[in-house]
Amino acid sequence: MKVVSASAAVRHLLDTGAVRPGDTLLDSSSGIYAYALALACHRHGMRCHIVGSTTVDHTLRTQLAVLGATLEQMEPCSDLKLDQKRRVARIQEILTEHPDYHWMRQYHDDIHYLGYRDVAERVRQETGDVPLTVVGGVGSGASTGALARRLREDGHGVELVGVQPYGSVTFGSEHVADPDIIIAGIGSSIPFANVDHGLYDTVHWLAFEAALAGSVDLLRRHAVFAGLSTGAGYLAARWEREHDPARTVVFLAADTGHRYVDTVFARHREAARVEDLAPRTVSSPAELALPWSRMSWDRAPAPASAVASTGSEASTGSVTSAGSEASVAGGVRGAVTGPPHPAGR
């Protein structure tokens, strides 16, 4: 999912002259975006520097090294909120030391929406003119937001369902802690400007035990080996499909299962049957309860805690209006739909 986003973003920066071949692109990542940006930089002759989360594993570190990217990884930390804040602070230090570096701001710059337009068109080609429900982990907001925007241009009643972990500020669950494992990558401890809350019709919050059940069932039932965020999305998508069978449900499977072998799949005997799980329906984030809650968001604005304030990291990004995606998309589509570069296979 992140590869199309990073590739289109870098291509747009080159096309507009914001960066040149040989420049260094910089960003923070918990894993998948780091790999995507390294691929894009390798393809376009750029340098790549990543400030990585404590969750970046040996496999990813090796891939980044092969692609020529440099990685600064945070020291081990059980508090992902602290981990994220340390990464942000380090980014600022690097920019002070190297003002010529270009900070990609995957969480705040909506150029990361561009690559998903072609994904949305592919979805529509394969599903036809039917009512769609799109389900996915929110994270930076780019993938689910971009898909919903593009699909809604054609009408057909597209609904968007966001998936969140407990403890995330994005949709107001920061007051509820998951005692097991926080699902990295689909929530946030800081406001993200790329999340357009007004696009979401429904939000599901899932704890580790529910996502574990989803990931294990997805492998057993469908032979799909994927991580916790995919397991959470799969569980939410099953529920939405069962309760509105007239709609076609598309869910995003954004991560593989490799870095979850010990923490998730080795615990497969603990996994509950997905048929035995159901969300608690709530009317506000104040009512959230583990392990699974569902709320009609009704395209409401962001909660106060998820709004980026002046002077925050988000305010330094080149965030543009919602309409800007369409105005620049034509210039990047060739970079997404052209023949794959060997490094991207």
CSV table of all heavy atoms in Angstrom, one decimal, residues 104-140:
chain,number,residue,atom,x,y,z
A,104,MET,N,9.7,14.3,4.0
A,104,MET,CA,8.5,13.8,3.3
A,104,MET,C,7.2,14.0,4.0
A,104,MET,O,6.2,14.1,3.4
A,104,MET,CB,8.7,12.3,3.0
A,104,MET,CG,9.8,12.0,2.0
A,104,MET,SD,9.5,12.8,0.4
A,104,MET,CE,8.0,11.9,-0.2
A,105,ARG,N,7.2,14.0,5.4
A,105,ARG,CA,6.0,14.3,6.1
A,105,ARG,C,4.8,13.4,5.7
A,105,ARG,O,3.8,13.8,5.3
A,105,ARG,CB,5.6,15.7,6.0
A,105,ARG,CG,6.6,16.7,6.6
A,105,ARG,CD,6.1,18.2,6.5
A,105,ARG,NE,6.1,18.6,5.1
A,105,ARG,CZ,7.1,19.2,4.5
A,105,ARG,NH1,8.2,19.5,5.1
A,105,ARG,NH2,7.0,19.5,3.2
A,106,GLN,N,5.1,12.1,5.8
A,106,GLN,CA,4.0,11.1,5.3
A,106,GLN,C,2.7,11.3,6.1
A,106,GLN,O,1.6,11.0,5.6
A,106,GLN,CB,4.5,9.7,5.5
A,106,GLN,CG,4.8,9.2,6.9
A,106,GLN,CD,4.6,7.7,7.1
A,106,GLN,OE1,3.6,7.2,6.5
A,106,GLN,NE2,5.5,7.1,7.8
A,107,TYR,N,2.8,11.9,7.3
A,107,TYR,CA,1.6,12.0,8.1
A,107,TYR,C,0.8,13.3,7.9
A,107,TYR,O,-0.3,13.5,8.3
A,107,TYR,CB,2.0,12.0,9.6
A,107,TYR,CG,2.8,10.8,10.1
A,107,TYR,CD1,4.0,11.0,10.7
A,107,TYR,CD2,2.3,9.5,9.8
A,107,TYR,CE1,4.7,9.9,11.1
A,107,TYR,CE2,3.0,8.4,10.2
A,107,TYR,CZ,4.3,8.6,10.9
A,107,TYR,OH,5.0,7.5,11.2
A,108,HIS,N,1.5,14.2,7.1
A,108,HIS,CA,0.9,15.6,7.0
A,108,HIS,C,0.8,16.2,5.6
A,108,HIS,O,0.1,17.1,5.4
A,108,HIS,CB,1.7,16.5,7.9
A,108,HIS,CG,1.9,16.1,9.3
A,108,HIS,ND1,0.8,15.7,10.2
A,108,HIS,CD2,3.0,15.8,10.0
A,108,HIS,CE1,1.3,15.3,11.3
A,108,HIS,NE2,2.6,15.3,11.3
A,109,ASP,N,1.6,15.6,4.7
A,109,ASP,CA,1.6,16.2,3.3
A,109,ASP,C,0.7,15.3,2.4
A,109,ASP,O,1.0,14.2,2.2
A,109,ASP,CB,3.0,16.2,2.8
A,109,ASP,CG,3.1,17.1,1.5
A,109,ASP,OD1,2.1,17.2,0.8
A,109,ASP,OD2,4.2,17.7,1.3
A,110,ASP,N,-0.3,16.0,1.9
A,110,ASP,CA,-1.3,15.2,1.1
A,110,ASP,C,-0.9,14.8,-0.3
A,110,ASP,O,-1.6,14.2,-1.0
A,110,ASP,CB,-2.7,15.9,1.1
A,110,ASP,CG,-2.7,17.2,0.3
A,110,ASP,OD1,-1.6,17.6,-0.2
A,110,ASP,OD2,-3.7,17.8,0.2
A,111,ILE,N,0.4,15.0,-0.6
A,111,ILE,CA,0.9,14.4,-1.8
A,111,ILE,C,0.9,12.8,-1.7
A,111,ILE,O,1.0,12.1,-2.7
A,111,ILE,CB,2.4,14.9,-2.2
A,111,ILE,CG1,3.4,14.5,-1.1
A,111,ILE,CG2,2.3,16.3,-2.5
A,111,ILE,CD1,4.8,14.8,-1.5
A,112,HIS,N,0.8,12.3,-0.5
A,112,HIS,CA,0.8,10.9,-0.3
A,112,HIS,C,-0.6,10.3,-0.6
A,112,HIS,O,-0.7,9.1,-0.7
A,112,HIS,CB,1.2,10.6,1.2
A,112,HIS,CG,2.6,10.8,1.5
A,112,HIS,ND1,3.0,12.1,2.0
A,112,HIS,CD2,3.7,10.1,1.3
A,112,HIS,CE1,4.3,12.0,2.1
A,112,HIS,NE2,4.8,10.9,1.7
A,113,TYR,N,-1.5,11.1,-1.0
A,113,TYR,CA,-2.8,10.6,-1.5
A,113,TYR,C,-2.7,10.2,-2.9
A,113,TYR,O,-3.5,9.4,-3.4
A,113,TYR,CB,-3.9,11.7,-1.3
A,113,TYR,CG,-4.6,11.8,0.0
A,113,TYR,CD1,-3.9,12.0,1.2
A,113,TYR,CD2,-6.0,11.8,0.1
A,113,TYR,CE1,-4.5,12.1,2.4
A,113,TYR,CE2,-6.6,11.9,1.3
A,113,TYR,CZ,-5.9,12.1,2.5
A,113,TYR,OH,-6.6,12.2,3.6
A,114,LEU,N,-1.8,10.8,-3.7
A,114,LEU,CA,-1.8,10.7,-5.1
A,114,LEU,C,-1.8,9.3,-5.7
A,114,LEU,O,-2.6,9.0,-6.6
A,114,LEU,CB,-0.6,11.5,-5.7
A,114,LEU,CG,-0.6,13.0,-5.4
A,114,LEU,CD1,0.7,13.6,-5.9
A,114,LEU,CD2,-1.8,13.7,-6.0
A,115,GLY,N,-0.9,8.5,-5.2
A,115,GLY,CA,-0.8,7.1,-5.7
A,115,GLY,C,-2.0,6.2,-5.6
A,115,GLY,O,-2.1,5.3,-6.4
A,116,TYR,N,-2.9,6.5,-4.7
A,116,TYR,CA,-4.0,5.7,-4.5
A,116,TYR,C,-5.1,5.9,-5.5
A,116,TYR,O,-6.1,5.1,-5.5
A,116,TYR,CB,-4.6,5.9,-3.0
A,116,TYR,CG,-3.6,5.4,-2.0
A,116,TYR,CD1,-2.9,6.3,-1.2
A,116,TYR,CD2,-3.3,4.1,-1.8
A,116,TYR,CE1,-2.0,5.9,-0.2
A,116,TYR,CE2,-2.4,3.6,-0.8
A,116,TYR,CZ,-1.8,4.6,0.0
A,116,TYR,OH,-0.9,4.1,0.9
A,117,ARG,N,-5.0,6.9,-6.3
A,117,ARG,CA,-6.1,7.1,-7.3
A,117,ARG,C,-6.2,5.9,-8.2
A,117,ARG,O,-7.2,5.5,-8.6
A,117,ARG,CB,-5.8,8.4,-8.1
A,117,ARG,CG,-6.0,9.7,-7.2
A,117,ARG,CD,-5.9,10.9,-8.1
A,117,ARG,NE,-7.0,11.0,-9.1
A,117,ARG,CZ,-8.2,11.5,-8.9
A,117,ARG,NH1,-8.5,12.0,-7.7
A,117,ARG,NH2,-9.1,11.6,-9.8
A,118,ASP,N,-5.0,5.4,-8.7
A,118,ASP,CA,-5.0,4.3,-9.6
A,118,ASP,C,-5.5,3.0,-8.9
A,118,ASP,O,-6.1,2.2,-9.5
A,118,ASP,CB,-3.6,4.1,-10.1
A,118,ASP,CG,-3.3,5.1,-11.2
A,118,ASP,OD1,-4.2,5.5,-11.9
A,118,ASP,OD2,-2.1,5.5,-11.2
A,119,VAL,N,-5.2,2.9,-7.6
A,119,VAL,CA,-5.7,1.8,-6.8
A,119,VAL,C,-7.3,1.8,-6.8
A,119,VAL,O,-8.0,0.8,-7.0
A,119,VAL,CB,-5.2,1.8,-5.4
A,119,VAL,CG1,-5.7,0.6,-4.6
A,119,VAL,CG2,-3.6,1.7,-5.4
A,120,ALA,N,-7.8,3.0,-6.6
A,120,ALA,CA,-9.3,3.2,-6.5
A,120,ALA,C,-9.9,2.9,-7.9
A,120,ALA,O,-10.9,2.2,-7.9
A,120,ALA,CB,-9.6,4.6,-6.1
A,121,GLU,N,-9.2,3.3,-8.9
A,121,GLU,CA,-9.8,2.9,-10.3
A,121,GLU,C,-9.7,1.4,-10.5
A,121,GLU,O,-10.7,0.9,-11.1
A,121,GLU,CB,-9.0,3.7,-11.3
A,121,GLU,CG,-9.3,5.2,-11.3
A,121,GLU,CD,-8.3,6.0,-12.2
A,121,GLU,OE1,-7.6,5.4,-13.0
A,121,GLU,OE2,-8.3,7.2,-12.1
A,122,ARG,N,-8.7,0.8,-10.0
A,122,ARG,CA,-8.6,-0.7,-10.2
A,122,ARG,C,-9.7,-1.4,-9.4
A,122,ARG,O,-10.4,-2.3,-9.8
A,122,ARG,CB,-7.3,-1.2,-9.7
A,122,ARG,CG,-7.1,-2.7,-9.7
A,122,ARG,CD,-7.0,-3.2,-11.1
A,122,ARG,NE,-6.8,-4.7,-11.1
A,122,ARG,CZ,-5.6,-5.2,-11.1
A,122,ARG,NH1,-4.5,-4.5,-11.2
A,122,ARG,NH2,-5.4,-6.5,-11.2
A,123,VAL,N,-10.0,-0.9,-8.2
A,123,VAL,CA,-11.1,-1.4,-7.3
A,123,VAL,C,-12.4,-1.3,-8.1
A,123,VAL,O,-13.2,-2.2,-8.1
A,123,VAL,CB,-11.1,-0.7,-6.0
A,123,VAL,CG1,-12.4,-1.0,-5.2
A,123,VAL,CG2,-9.9,-1.1,-5.1
A,124,ARG,N,-12.7,-0.1,-8.7
A,124,ARG,CA,-13.9,0.1,-9.3
A,124,ARG,C,-14.1,-0.7,-10.6
A,124,ARG,O,-15.1,-1.3,-10.9
A,124,ARG,CB,-14.1,1.6,-9.7
A,124,ARG,CG,-15.4,2.0,-10.3
A,124,ARG,CD,-16.6,1.5,-9.5
A,124,ARG,NE,-16.8,2.4,-8.4
A,124,ARG,CZ,-17.7,2.1,-7.4
A,124,ARG,NH1,-18.4,1.0,-7.4
A,124,ARG,NH2,-17.8,2.9,-6.4
A,125,GLN,N,-13.0,-0.9,-11.3
A,125,GLN,CA,-13.0,-1.8,-12.5
A,125,GLN,C,-13.4,-3.2,-12.1
A,125,GLN,O,-14.1,-3.9,-12.8
A,125,GLN,CB,-11.6,-1.8,-13.2
A,125,GLN,CG,-11.3,-0.5,-13.9
A,125,GLN,CD,-9.8,-0.5,-14.3
A,125,GLN,OE1,-9.1,-1.5,-14.2
A,125,GLN,NE2,-9.4,0.7,-14.9
A,126,GLU,N,-12.9,-3.7,-11.0
A,126,GLU,CA,-13.1,-5.1,-10.6
A,126,GLU,C,-14.4,-5.3,-9.9
A,126,GLU,O,-15.0,-6.4,-9.9
A,126,GLU,CB,-11.9,-5.6,-9.7
A,126,GLU,CG,-10.6,-5.6,-10.4
A,126,GLU,CD,-9.6,-6.5,-9.6
A,126,GLU,OE1,-10.0,-7.2,-8.7
A,126,GLU,OE2,-8.4,-6.4,-10.0
A,127,THR,N,-15.0,-4.3,-9.3
A,127,THR,CA,-16.2,-4.4,-8.5
A,127,THR,C,-17.4,-4.0,-9.3
A,127,THR,O,-18.6,-4.4,-9.0
A,127,THR,CB,-16.2,-3.7,-7.2
A,127,THR,OG1,-15.9,-2.3,-7.4
A,127,THR,CG2,-15.1,-4.2,-6.3
A,128,GLY,N,-17.2,-3.1,-10.3
A,128,GLY,CA,-18.4,-2.6,-11.0
A,128,GLY,C,-19.1,-1.5,-10.3
A,128,GLY,O,-18.7,-1.0,-9.3
A,129,ASP,N,-20.3,-1.1,-10.9
A,129,ASP,CA,-21.0,0.0,-10.3
A,129,ASP,C,-22.0,-0.6,-9.2
A,129,ASP,O,-23.2,-0.6,-9.3
A,129,ASP,CB,-21.8,0.7,-11.4
A,129,ASP,CG,-21.0,1.3,-12.4
A,129,ASP,OD1,-19.8,1.6,-12.1
A,129,ASP,OD2,-21.4,1.5,-13.6
A,130,VAL,N,-21.4,-1.0,-8.1
A,130,VAL,CA,-22.1,-1.5,-6.9
A,130,VAL,C,-21.8,-0.6,-5.7
A,130,VAL,O,-20.8,0.0,-5.6
A,130,VAL,CB,-21.8,-3.0,-6.7
A,130,VAL,CG1,-22.1,-3.8,-7.9
A,130,VAL,CG2,-20.3,-3.1,-6.3
A,131,PRO,N,-22.7,-0.6,-4.7
A,131,PRO,CA,-22.4,0.1,-3.5
A,131,PRO,C,-21.2,-0.6,-2.8
A,131,PRO,O,-21.2,-1.8,-2.6
A,131,PRO,CB,-23.7,-0.1,-2.7
A,131,PRO,CG,-24.8,-0.4,-3.7
A,131,PRO,CD,-24.1,-1.2,-4.8
A,132,LEU,N,-20.3,0.2,-2.4
A,132,LEU,CA,-19.0,-0.3,-1.8
A,132,LEU,C,-18.9,0.2,-0.4
A,132,LEU,O,-19.2,1.4,-0.1
A,132,LEU,CB,-17.8,0.2,-2.6
A,132,LEU,CG,-17.5,-0.4,-3.9
A,132,LEU,CD1,-16.2,0.2,-4.5
A,132,LEU,CD2,-17.2,-1.9,-3.8
A,133,THR,N,-18.3,-0.6,0.4
A,133,THR,CA,-17.9,-0.3,1.8
A,133,THR,C,-16.4,-0.5,1.8
A,133,THR,O,-15.9,-1.7,1.6
A,133,THR,CB,-18.6,-1.1,2.9
A,133,THR,OG1,-20.0,-0.8,2.8
A,133,THR,CG2,-18.0,-0.7,4.2
A,134,VAL,N,-15.6,0.5,2.0
A,134,VAL,CA,-14.1,0.4,2.1
A,134,VAL,C,-13.7,0.3,3.6
A,134,VAL,O,-14.1,1.2,4.4
A,134,VAL,CB,-13.4,1.5,1.4
A,134,VAL,CG1,-11.9,1.4,1.6
A,134,VAL,CG2,-13.8,1.5,-0.1
A,135,VAL,N,-13.0,-0.7,4.0
A,135,VAL,CA,-12.5,-0.9,5.4
A,135,VAL,C,-11.0,-0.9,5.4
A,135,VAL,O,-10.4,-1.6,4.7
A,135,VAL,CB,-13.1,-2.2,6.0
A,135,VAL,CG1,-12.7,-2.4,7.4
A,135,VAL,CG2,-14.6,-2.2,5.8
A,136,GLY,N,-10.4,-0.1,6.4
A,136,GLY,CA,-9.0,-0.2,6.5
A,136,GLY,C,-8.5,0.5,7.7
A,136,GLY,O,-9.1,1.4,8.2
A,137,GLY,N,-7.3,0.1,8.1
A,137,GLY,CA,-6.6,0.8,9.2
A,137,GLY,C,-6.3,2.3,8.8
A,137,GLY,O,-5.9,2.5,7.6
A,138,VAL,N,-6.5,3.2,9.7
A,138,VAL,CA,-6.4,4.6,9.3
A,138,VAL,C,-5.0,5.1,9.2
A,138,VAL,O,-4.6,5.6,8.2
A,138,VAL,CB,-7.2,5.5,10.3
A,138,VAL,CG1,-7.0,7.0,9.9
A,138,VAL,CG2,-8.7,5.1,10.3
A,139,GLY,N,-4.2,4.9,10.2
A,139,GLY,CA,-2.8,5.3,10.1
A,139,GLY,C,-2.6,6.8,9.8
A,139,GLY,O,-3.2,7.6,10.4
A,140,SER,N,-1.9,7.1,8.7
A,140,SER,CA,-1.7,8.4,8.3
A,140,SER,C,-2.9,9.0,7.7
A,140,SER,O,-3.0,10.2,7.5
A,140,SER,CB,-0.5,8.5,7.3
A,140,SER,OG,-0.8,7.9,6.1
